[in-house]
Amino acid sequence: MNNHSPIVYHDKKYGFQLVFPRWWKNYVVIRRDKGDPTAEYVLHFKFKYKGKLYDDVLTILVLPITFHQWMDEGYSESPLTFLGEYEGRVFASLTPEALPDAFLDPQTKQVDYKKYGIPIRLLNRMVNDDDPRILRSIRFPKQVKTFRSNPVRSRRVWRYK
């Protein structure tokens, strides 16, 4: 395996997979929970820099609703992005809209670019460049439909002559 090959994340609980750039391995920690009252499952990809955990750089939510319910309940107007529907559940994503508060200067309440320049650049690259590619890579297992054959039984067997 070379250093440029992507990392494929396979979620065992719901079967979907996402493809991440290999360089994310050093900067992301994965957390799973049921933290949102409307979600059945939440997958957090938290930003990590120099041993400190910050906010999510990407969040995947599994909602126990269908696409029609998603539309009817107004989720299409929310910050969530629809990724797909699989087995009666909607998969959605949430990406950060602002830098973590930890990057603010305590006195000025402004982003401290001098102190946090490198992690800010990493986060910008992750959210603006990589997140859209990762979200486009989502794949669900194919549902295989098979026909179970039932043998036809006859009361009378005909003999061929």
Side-chain angles (χ1 to χ4, degrees), residues 89-138:
R89 294 177 179 93
V90 165
F91 291 75
S93 68
L94 182 64
T95 54
E97 296 178 0
L99 290 169
D101 290 342
F103 293 164
L104 298 177
D105 182 295
Q107 281 83 29
T108 64
K109 302 295 183 201
Q110 298 294 318
V111 176
D112 190 345
Y113 289 100
K114 187 173 183 179
K115 184 175 181 182
Y116 296 107
I118 294 172
I120 288 171
R121 284 192 294 279
L122 287 170
L123 268 174
N124 280 336
R125 178 180 173 190
M126 293 168 103
V127 172
N128 297 325
D129 298 338
D130 296 337
D131 278 357
R133 282 190 288 256
I134 293 165
L135 295 173
R136 281 193 303 271
S137 77
I138 193 165

Side-chain angles (χ1 to χ4, degrees), residues 59-94:
T59 307
I60 305 292
L61 296 97
V62 180
L63 305 168
I65 60 174
T66 64
F67 177 71
H68 294 295
Q69 290 170 314
W70 166 277
M71 296 303 288
D72 292 344
E73 294 176 18
Y75 280 99
S76 60
E77 302 297 322
S78 75
L80 296 174
T81 302
F82 177 83
L83 298 176
E85 181 181 357
Y86 180 69
E87 292 185 343
R89 294 177 179 93
V90 165
F91 291 75
S93 68
L94 182 64

Side-chain angles (χ1 to χ4, degrees), residues 17 20 39 41 43 46 50 56 59 62 66 73 86 138:
Q17 72 179 26
F20 291 87
Y41 180 68
L43 186 61
K46 295 197 159 292
K50 291 191 176 181
D56 294 359
T59 307
V62 180
T66 64
E73 294 176 18
Y86 180 69
I138 193 165

Side-chain angles (χ1 to χ4, degrees), residues 37-59:
T38 60
E40 166 177 311
Y41 180 68
V42 182
L43 186 61
H44 302 274
F45 294 90
K46 295 197 159 292
F47 180 63
K48 175 183 77 171
Y49 186 74
K50 291 191 176 181
K52 186 173 179 187
L53 277 181
Y54 295 94
D55 296 343
D56 294 359
V57 71
L58 177 62
T59 307

